[in-house]
Amino acid sequence: MSPAAAPAALVHLDAAVDLLERSIAVLRGALVATRPEHLGLATRCPAWDVAGLLDHVGEGLGAFVEASTGRLSPAPEAPVTGRRPPELLGACADLLGAWAGGGHGEVAMGSARASAPLLVATAALETAVHADDLAVAVGARRPGAQL
């Protein structure tokens, strides 16, 4: 199907997935540069060191994978801690795989609904921001205008 003949939401979802793919590539670069000795380093967010940022990134990646099923649960009461770059590299692949197939047109979040393109674009933004946060904290090359 040509982009002109495709439903508008699908075209927008494809564009959002493309943006997500580029932001995930930037995050992967920052994750690869992260070493065990970096885990206690401060980040630009005073509440998180690198280990805390990795945990937050992992929660976000998992939530956006869950959203691809058409439903998004409330945040867990006890977040998972101890996430490390190898695990998060796998979560990056899971996230891209989840949305590359199109996912659902809308995602239910309790009584609210959001369009899939909006959620995927939000995932791309969240990923890009935290990729830059991580790169700054560990002294890795920053993404610049790659997105």
Side-chain angles (χ1 to χ4, degrees):
M1 178 181 304
S2 73
L10 181 60
V11 173
H12 294 298
L13 181 58
D14 288 345
V17 170
D18 180 59
L19 184 60
L20 178 62
E21 186 173 13
R22 290 182 281 152
S23 68
I24 289 284
V26 174
L27 177 59
R28 284 179 175 153
L31 289 168
V32 167
T34 303
R35 304 283 176 250
E37 59 269 20
H38 295 144
L39 296 177
L41 294 176
T43 68
R44 293 184 285 200
C45 178
W48 291 330
D49 58 9
V50 168
L53 177 59
L54 293 175
D55 292 338
H56 175 71
V57 167
E59 288 174 3
L61 294 172
F64 287 116
V65 168
E66 180 186 348
S68 73
T69 68
R71 300 194 67 75
L72 183 58
S73 303
E77 290 182 24
V80 176
T81 59
R83 297 177 195 255
R84 299 298 175 256
E87 175 189 351
L88 296 179
L89 288 166
C92 287
D94 293 344
L95 179 56
L96 283 176
W99 284 103
H104 289 264
E106 281 192 339
V107 178
M109 303 173 296
S111 62
R113 300 185 93 54
S115 73
L118 175 64
L119 256 77
V120 174
T122 302
L125 175 62
E126 174 91 357
T127 301
V129 166
H130 292 315
D132 191 60
D133 291 339
L134 184 59
V136 168
V138 303
R141 186 176 73 80
R142 293 177 71 191
Q146 291 180 23
L147 296 176

